[in-house]
Amino acid sequence: MMRAFLATLIICVCTVAPAQTRDDGRYAQMDPKLHAWFDHLASGKGPCCSFADGVSIQDVNWDTQEGHYRVRLYGEWILVPDDAVVTEPNIFGPAVVWPYMDTDGLTRIKCFSPGSGT
């Protein structure tokens, strides 16, 4: 029940008010160019929000399978929907994923930016 509530809250924050991200200042020291890049990222599913909402993942926690990206989160491999892939080059470096929990408690991917080595 709590997971469903949190998932709904995250979805509302990212979709209802995408201009008001949850960056509480922790990332203010980030390079301004990089910060601006994160803030304008979007996939076919809409704005990714900001880096504060994303999760940086190591190369061993993402790959491709049968032509589609997948990421390992919370101990399980999750297929990244094609429309969740950010198509512009990743200037940050490591892969970043923006997960959320749906109303059934399943982890879904709103955005995924592959690592810059791809």
Side-chain angles (χ1 to χ4, degrees):
M1 182 81 165
M2 184 61 147
R3 291 176 82 178
F5 172 76
L6 289 174
T8 303
L9 180 64
I10 289 170
I11 291 169
C12 288
V13 168
C14 288
T15 59
V16 174
Q20 298 177 353
T21 63
R22 294 181 298 145
D23 186 350
D24 60 6
R26 289 177 286 174
Y27 304 98
Q29 302 301 322
M30 185 183 287
D31 176 336
K33 180 180 174 187
L34 195 57
H35 190 89
W37 178 78
F38 272 113
D39 281 346
H40 90 272
L41 280 182
S43 71
K45 293 181 169 284
C48 299
C49 296
S50 74
F51 183 69
D53 301 309
V55 178
S56 177
I57 55 176
Q58 298 176 350
D59 288 346
V60 297
N61 290 323
W62 70 275
D63 65 9
T64 59
Q65 182 180 34
E66 298 178 7
H68 301 280
Y69 290 107
R70 64 183 191 147
V71 296
R72 186 170 40 208
L73 294 171
Y74 317 116
E76 66 178 298
W77 284 100
I78 301 166
L79 202 58
V80 175
D82 291 338
D83 61 347
V85 177
V86 174
T87 57
E88 69 180 89
N90 179 338
I91 65 170
F92 173 65
V96 181
V97 62
W98 285 261
Y100 67 94
M101 295 235 178
D102 68 11
T103 55
D104 294 325
L106 299 173
T107 301
R108 304 290 184 192
I109 307 297
K110 178 164 180 153
C111 295
F112 174 69
S113 182
S116 60
T118 61

